[in-house]
Amino acid sequence: MKKILITGANGMLGTAIAAALKDYELFSFSSKELDITCSFQLDQKVKNIQPDYIINCAAYTAVDLAETEQEKAYKINALAVQKMAQVAKQYKATLIHFSTDYVFKGNAATPYTTDQKTDPINAYGASKLAGEKAITQIGGNHYIFRISWLYAPHGKNFFNWVANTGMEELNIVNSQTGSPTSALHVADFIDHLLKNDPTAYGIYHFTNQGDMTWYAFAKAINQKLHLDKKINPVATFKTAAARPAYSVMDCEQTERIFNYKIPSISNGLEEIISNYKS
């Protein structure tokens, strides 16, 4: 049986992936149990477990805070990832790492392919891109999956905010377009990968298929959950970090290489709602 080491196991994505991989020999660590910024801890865990795969779900994801905490963002998203890639290579584990649509500038008119120029417009995106580059430079067996607008029935995310806020009227930005992506579908895909690993290492995109604005997504959540909130479109919403206006990613290569049909945004939302407990 394959041994899987999961970092950041108590986060939104880590929780979903650990649940999907329960039939494997799992070694799941929360950020408190394994601080990926501690090289010694990381090395000892991997050395003792000798996993077949390391799935890195630990990340600094506070996009706005990253503008003033750049050092912390880089420490977690780049330097720790660099060490993880080195350790994975040393102990012959395949590293599965998650990046973001924010590595792109967001001024395209058609979905971004994996080979398009990266040009992050905020510190968070820059820290994630540095992590990608570190993994690629070190080599070893690795997959990097760029995901976007992640949400789940658990954890802190846009879906849960819309579902649970006491506000009856929400002003939601209508000038950013992307692909809301279900953490449950990412987890299902990772399960598929482990069962059918094509060893075609590199960078891939994985998002639920289709695109919409945050406003349209909020309206869809409101409608599906019968919340009866008033959802208003706004052109801009002031945030500390700039956001890409368009960050839709092309996933054709992922579907082809991994022989996996990625579900649509509406499928993703339906599955999240069926697992949601209000």
Side-chain angles (χ1 to χ4, degrees):
M1 183 184 284
K2 290 189 180 104
K3 286 185 191 174
I4 318 293
L5 188 158
I6 302 176
T7 65
N10 59 344
M12 182 170 47
L13 186 56
T15 299
I17 288 177
L21 303 184
K22 59 185 183 299
D23 293 337
Y24 292 91
E25 193 176 348
L26 279 190
F27 298 85
S28 301
F29 301 103
S30 70
S31 300
K32 285 188 174 67
E33 293 163 332
L34 172 55
D35 176 1
I36 66 165
T37 67
C38 176
S39 297
F40 178 74
Q41 266 192 52
L42 196 58
D43 187 88
Q44 288 300 110
K45 287 275 195 243
V46 177
K47 182 181 177 182
N48 293 338
I49 293 165
Q50 296 284 324
D52 298 289
Y53 291 87
I54 298 170
I55 304 177
N56 182 33
C57 299
Y60 180 102
T61 57
V63 177
D64 290 318
L65 263 182
E67 294 299 310
T68 51
E69 293 187 345
Q70 292 191 24
E71 193 176 331
K72 186 176 179 184
Y74 269 83
K75 189 178 180 186
I76 297 168
N77 291 343
L79 298 178
V81 168
Q82 180 181 41
K83 177 62 181 178
M84 198 178 295
Q86 289 167 343
V87 170
K89 185 178 180 182
Q90 182 182 348
Y91 295 107
K92 298 182 170 52
T94 297
L95 176 61
I96 297 174
H97 176 72
F98 299 96
S99 191
T100 175
D101 53 321
Y102 282 25
V103 298
F104 295 112
K105 190 167 188 176
N107 59 353
T110 55
Y112 284 98
T113 56
T114 54
D115 57 0
Q116 270 179 268
K117 184 176 181 284
T118 51
D119 187 11
I121 61 171
N122 57 38
Y124 165 72
S127 72
K128 293 295 285 184
L129 180 60
E132 285 189 10
K133 288 181 173 175
I135 294 170
T136 304
Q137 282 165 3
I138 286 159
N141 299 344
H142 67 269
Y143 293 108
I144 298 167
F145 294 105
R146 292 175 180 149
I147 54 181
S148 74
W149 295 27
L150 196 71
Y151 69 106
H154 54 267
K156 187 181 175 186
N157 58 73
F158 185 79
F159 169 83
N160 275 334
W161 175 72
V162 172
N164 297 314
T165 180
M167 296 160 67
E168 290 300 312
E169 189 169 347
L170 304 177
N171 295 325
I172 309 294
V173 71
N174 201 27
S175 56
Q176 295 166 24
T177 300
S179 304
T181 298
S182 161
L184 303 181
H185 282 161
V186 177
D188 180 75
F189 169 70
I190 296 301
D191 181 43
H192 173 85
L193 185 158
L194 297 185
K195 289 188 173 89
N196 310 275
D197 190 342
T199 64
Y201 306 119
I203 297 175
Y204 295 91
H205 292 165
F206 186 98
T207 64
N208 279 125
Q209 294 299 277
D211 61 75
M212 58 172 55
T213 64
W214 285 116
Y215 165 69
F217 188 38
K219 275 182 65 175
I221 296 165
N222 190 46
Q223 183 187 358
K224 298 277 188 191
L225 289 177
H226 309 291
L227 298 174
D228 297 322
K229 293 182 191 289
K230 188 171 192 299
I231 313 284
N232 305 316
V234 294
T236 56
F237 200 84
K238 189 152 179 58
T239 53
R243 300 296 201 276
Y246 179 92
S247 60
V248 182
M249 297 190 289
D250 187 328
C251 300
E252 181 277 328
Q253 183 187 26
T254 307
E255 292 192 316
R256 178 169 42 81
I257 298 290
F258 295 92
N259 192 26
Y260 184 91
K261 180 73 180 146
I262 303 175
S264 67
I265 291 171
S266 61
N267 286 149
L269 185 54
E270 291 287 352
E271 186 180 0
I272 293 288
I273 287 171
S274 68
N275 285 273
Y276 170 70
K277 296 174 183 66
S278 58

